[in-house]
Amino acid sequence: MRILVVSTPVGSLGSGQGGGVELTAFALVAGLLRRGHQVSVLAAAGSVLPAACRRAQLWLESGVDQPSWQHRPQQSPVEIPAGGLLPRFWRRALGRQADVDVIVNLAYDWLPIWLTPHVATPIAHLISMGSVGQAMDAVIAEVAALHPERFAFHTAAQAADFALPGPPRLVGNGFDLSRYRFEPRPEPLLGWAGRVAPEKGLEDAAAVAAALDLPLAVWGLRQDAAYAERVEASVPPGTLQWRGFLPTEQLQAELGRCAVLLNTPKWNEAFGNVVVEAMACGVPVAAYARGGPGELVQPGVNGALASPDDRQALAEAVRRAQRIERAACRRWVEQHCSQEVFAGRIEAWLEAVTRGITSPQPPGPV
Ligand code: HBI
């Protein structure tokens, strides 16, 4: 198929600002290229694609970033700034719709979803977050009622946030596992990775590390400095080791040295990329049983689960996770979250979209 992938209008690809959607975009593009599809990518100026995506055509648009839906009140109206990147993306995409069989939208935004019933070339939406705003919930429900097959989600927990006419199409997520090296020998070190912001719950991981008297390495964009300082002040000095936002190459090398990764989502995390990245390096995960991580962690196989927001339970989950066979974590990721497995699910979805199948298939295994 000839596939146009429209990226997020929040930051350029490769900057780390796009959060998890960046890794998803790279895996989706590289995986579809490997399956022989023609792929072009529409992304913000400054975007760079990794080597595995080089054969994709890259079109760049400049404009004012779309305000992020994260950290906004539920009732926020849809805002499109003057000179906005989002309308420019869609002016470009609609101008090229005759040259492609399907448009894959990775942006969590109102405009492309609202356009869907009015555009001849099918637009397929990979929804990247749970519910974060009423305007998005409403437009997803409205368009999914007409075209359910146009929507795919990472996990059942995420899809459950939305009013859908039938069982959701679940595609999990995909990773280029050649970029993650299995590390059999950990250090006495706990890990936490993600944007340093309140919905990610770093304060709980810090408290558990302090209780277990183990250092906690923290990787990620310090998106909310005041929050980071509050967490720092809540545990004894030296508990936290701030490692900053690292590109995948360095991140995975450091992540692999952890005994356990803690994952403490306070919101309905749609997937939880860092959970899979850690497992790809052989690191078992102790996570709250919430959102995507609650579905990815298979207790006793690749990690341990704790009742949400219960720090005592999380500490016990860390102890159980320390006994997990590290090679089993890597094996689980190879079976369920490789780029190849993910691209196969995306291809099946897009073929259903281009064939106009309206009833979504039973959810795929995550
Ligand atoms: N906000 N408006 C908007 N559009 C996006 O595509 C978007 C966002 N906030 C966060 C985000 N994408 C990604 O970081 C998550 O989907 C992972």
Side-chain angles (χ1 to χ4, degrees), residues 321-338:
Q322 283 173 305
R323 295 196 294 272
I324 294 265
E325 185 209 344
R326 291 172 73 90
C329 300
R330 172 74 192 201
R331 269 198 308 276
W332 188 86
V333 169
E334 283 165 356
Q335 285 159 9
H336 296 272
C337 304
S338 71

Side-chain angles (χ1 to χ4, degrees), residues 7-10 16-22 24 65-70 72 79 86 105-110 126-129 132 136 154 195 200 223 267 269-270 273:
S7 178
T8 171
V10 176
Q17 271 183 304
V21 73
E22 221 174 82
T24 303
D65 271 15
Q66 188 63 19
S68 172
W69 269 108
Q70 264 156 343
R72 292 168 70 89
E79 286 178 19
L86 182 66
N105 169 49
L106 299 182
Y108 192 94
D109 280 293
W110 183 88
L126 176 45
I127 303 297
S128 62
M129 294 191 278
V132 290
M136 285 298 288
H154 292 295
R195 276 179 299 102
K200 299 282 189 176
Q223 196 168 55
W267 67 322
E269 183 83 47
N273 289 332

Side-chain angles (χ1 to χ4, degrees), residues 49-66:
L49 295 179
C53 301
R54 279 280 184 281
R55 280 186 295 118
Q57 266 191 25
L58 178 58
W59 305 334
L60 300 176
E61 274 292 341
S62 49
V64 176
D65 271 15
Q66 188 63 19

Side-chain angles (χ1 to χ4, degrees), residues 54-340:
R54 279 280 184 281
R55 280 186 295 118
Q57 266 191 25
L58 178 58
W59 305 334
L60 300 176
E61 274 292 341
S62 49
V64 176
D65 271 15
Q66 188 63 19
S68 172
W69 269 108
Q70 264 156 343
H71 317 129
R72 292 168 70 89
Q74 273 281 339
Q75 274 66 35
S76 298
V78 176
E79 286 178 19
I80 296 189
L85 186 53
L86 182 66
R88 291 186 184 177
F89 271 178
W90 286 92
R91 180 177 58 192
R92 192 86 177 271
L94 297 188
R96 290 223 38 199
Q97 63 171 301
D99 311 331
V100 297
D101 301 307
V102 59
I103 301 173
V104 177
N105 169 49
L106 299 182
Y108 192 94
D109 280 293
W110 183 88
L111 178 63
I113 297 175
W114 187 85
L115 283 172
T116 304
H118 310 285
V119 176
T121 301
I123 304 174
H125 305 280
L126 176 45
I127 303 297
S128 62
M129 294 191 278
S131 165
V132 290
Q134 198 180 30
M136 285 298 288
D137 296 354
V139 76
I140 289 171
E142 188 186 311
V143 175
L146 298 169
H147 302 282
E149 78 285 358
R150 301 293 183 82
F151 293 88
F153 303 84
H154 292 295
T155 63
Q158 175 207 1
D161 269 6
F162 302 101
L164 304 173
R169 161 92 51 176
L170 302 181
V171 293
N173 213 342
F175 300 77
D176 175 355
L177 295 177
S178 69
R179 306 180 70 195
Y180 301 86
R181 191 168 36 81
F182 173 65
E183 174 51 71
R185 283 174 313 285
E187 295 172 10
L189 174 71
L190 298 178
W192 187 94
R195 276 179 299 102
V196 179
E199 74 272 11
K200 299 282 189 176
L202 175 58
E203 67 276 14
D204 290 5
V208 166
L212 295 172
D213 198 17
L214 283 168
L216 180 73
V218 178
W219 291 277
L221 210 58
R222 273 167 73 117
Q223 196 168 55
D224 182 332
Y227 168 69
E229 275 141 41
R230 283 200 304 278
V231 175
E232 174 79 68
S234 69
V235 288
T239 305
L240 301 185
Q241 299 176 4
W242 298 98
R243 304 284 182 88
F245 171 79
L246 297 179
T248 301
E249 300 315 316
Q250 285 97 306
L251 173 66
Q252 61 85 31
E254 294 193 15
L255 209 47
R257 299 195 336 240
C258 292
V260 176
L261 180 90
L262 279 72
N263 191 263
T264 51
K266 294 289 181 181
W267 67 322
N268 189 15
E269 183 83 47
F271 187 75
N273 289 332
V274 290
V275 163
V276 172
E277 293 184 289
M279 292 173 180
C281 300
V283 182
V285 174
Y288 284 147
R290 177 182 272 151
E295 284 179 44
L296 294 170
V297 172
Q298 312 290 313
V301 175
N302 57 20
L305 289 175
S307 44
D309 310 322
D310 179 339
R311 293 176 176 183
Q312 180 53 40
L314 186 61
E316 284 150 19
V318 171
R319 288 197 193 90
R320 292 197 302 277
Q322 283 173 305
R323 295 196 294 272
I324 294 265
E325 185 209 344
R326 291 172 73 90
C329 300
R330 172 74 192 201
R331 269 198 308 276
W332 188 86
V333 169
E334 283 165 356
Q335 285 159 9
H336 296 272
C337 304
S338 71
Q339 189 170 282
E340 294 70 25

